[in-house]
Amino acid sequence: MRTHRLGRSAVEVTELGFGGGPLGGLFEPLDDDTAAEALAAAWAAGIRYFDTSPHYGIGHSERRIGELLRTKPRGDFTLSTKVGRLLVPQDPAGRRDESFQVPATHRRVWDFSRDGVLRSVEDSLTRMGADRVDVLFLHDAEQHLESALRDGFPALAELRSQGVVGAVGAGMYDPAKLTTLVRETDADVVMLSGRYTLLDHSALDDLLPACAERGVSVLAASVFNSGLLATPRPTSGARYDYAPASSEQLSRAHLLADVCETHGVTLPQAAMAFPLFHPVVTSVVLGMRSAHEVRRNVASFAAAVPSGLWDDLRTAGLLDDRAPTSP
């Protein structure tokens, strides 16, 4: 599987990355064996970039990814995690976590301070059983941008200068706020969630041009928009950005699927291929929860997508004229 370097750093990632959100029990509970099988299948398929966060299952995702990667040569993979939420132990009292299907053994505390960043990294390394991470992101800082820029990013830059991490940046869904970070810091990479997909081209307005100007790489996450583009034909109840898709969103997804089918292409195949045409996008990061999902997505990622598909999508008004569709 091809790899690309992140910004001006020496860190490289595979074009297809493993997103650790589902390993935290996103939407549905997930047992350790199923998670381990998913990770083993990803490794067998050649995926060598693994992304996680304390937020994902209040530590479950980090622990599970760490259990796999501790068995692999450290130089053979790239690992990223995130800062911004500290996990504080609590009595679950029979409750489930508010975001993931796991017992509420911890609560999250927002903290983008220098001390909070350093503590978060230390806690993550302990959960993963790792000696270092390769990439560190400020996570979901949309409502905490001032603190993240003033205190959080300088802490990341300090860790980078010390060689503790190889590349730093932020992971958010808001392209405007990521653009601010790109323009005001020396980030190497940003992880953009759901805003450069077949259904949402808003990153073309400012973020992707800013990244091109500043030499910042983009990791495209949530390219299925959390479910709506994950199957050849979305059904009622499919999710868009973690909520049930509207009738308008479902209708647009079906129009995309119509054009894809005329070219013998599935919606997921097109959704994975599209972001990588942009020169600043180095990897598509997919959240996966089972070996079956991994093998299916890897096969879709490897499928050839004819150039005529993109022309027809543009003609149908389903693709922004500014979006690159050739290498």
Side-chain angles (χ1 to χ4, degrees), residues 4-13 49 51 74 78-83 117 121 132-138 152-153 155-171 181 185-191 215-219 282:
H4 299 286
R5 185 170 294 186
L6 298 180
R8 295 170 295 276
S9 77
V11 178
E12 294 195 351
V13 296
Y49 172 46
D51 173 69
R74 186 59 186 88
T78 299
L79 173 63
S80 64
T81 193
K82 306 181 180 77
V83 299
V117 166
V121 172
R132 62 184 170 88
V133 294
D134 301 291
V135 189
L136 198 57
F137 295 105
L138 302 168
F153 189 85
L156 299 193
E158 178 183 341
L159 292 171
R160 180 180 59 187
S161 69
Q162 295 170 349
V164 177
V165 297
V168 297
L181 179 131
T185 72
D186 61 344
D188 303 294
V189 57
V190 296
M191 180 173 284
V216 175
S217 294
V218 175
L219 304 173
T282 57

Side-chain angles (χ1 to χ4, degrees), residues 19-106:
L23 296 192
L26 182 65
F27 301 136
E28 299 174 9
L30 186 71
D31 62 85
D32 283 348
D33 288 344
T34 301
E37 290 165 2
L39 288 162
W43 188 271
I47 294 173
R48 294 294 183 269
Y49 172 46
F50 297 85
D51 173 69
T52 184
S53 168
H55 173 54
Y56 303 153
I58 47 178
H60 278 64
S61 175
E62 287 188 319
R63 174 180 59 80
R64 287 165 166 168
I65 285 178
E67 286 172 356
L68 169 83
L69 296 182
R70 285 198 299 274
T71 69
K72 307 301 181 185
R74 186 59 186 88
D76 287 1
F77 61 85
T78 299
L79 173 63
S80 64
T81 193
K82 306 181 180 77
V83 299
R85 296 175 175 92
L86 292 174
L87 302 184
V88 178
Q90 65 179 7
D91 181 357
R95 293 176 290 116
R96 307 293 283 179
D97 179 60
E98 67 271 18
S99 302
F100 293 81
Q101 294 300 307
V102 296
T105 56
H106 294 73

Side-chain angles (χ1 to χ4, degrees), residues 50 135-136 144 167 214 242 256:
F50 297 85
V135 189
L136 198 57
H144 309 270
R214 301 276 292 171
Y242 307 104
L256 288 164

Side-chain angles (χ1 to χ4, degrees), residues 112-171:
F112 287 97
S113 70
R114 179 182 182 277
D115 287 348
V117 166
L118 298 181
R119 177 181 162 189
S120 183
V121 172
E122 183 178 356
D123 290 348
S124 290
L125 291 175
T126 299
R127 279 189 291 270
M128 293 187 288
D131 60 349
R132 62 184 170 88
V133 294
D134 301 291
V135 189
L136 198 57
F137 295 105
L138 302 168
H139 196 193
D140 293 343
E142 281 86 352
Q143 305 307 315
H144 309 270
L145 193 61
E146 181 180 352
S147 174
L149 290 174
R150 183 188 64 239
D151 304 316
F153 189 85
L156 299 193
E158 178 183 341
L159 292 171
R160 180 180 59 187
S161 69
Q162 295 170 349
V164 177
V165 297
V168 297

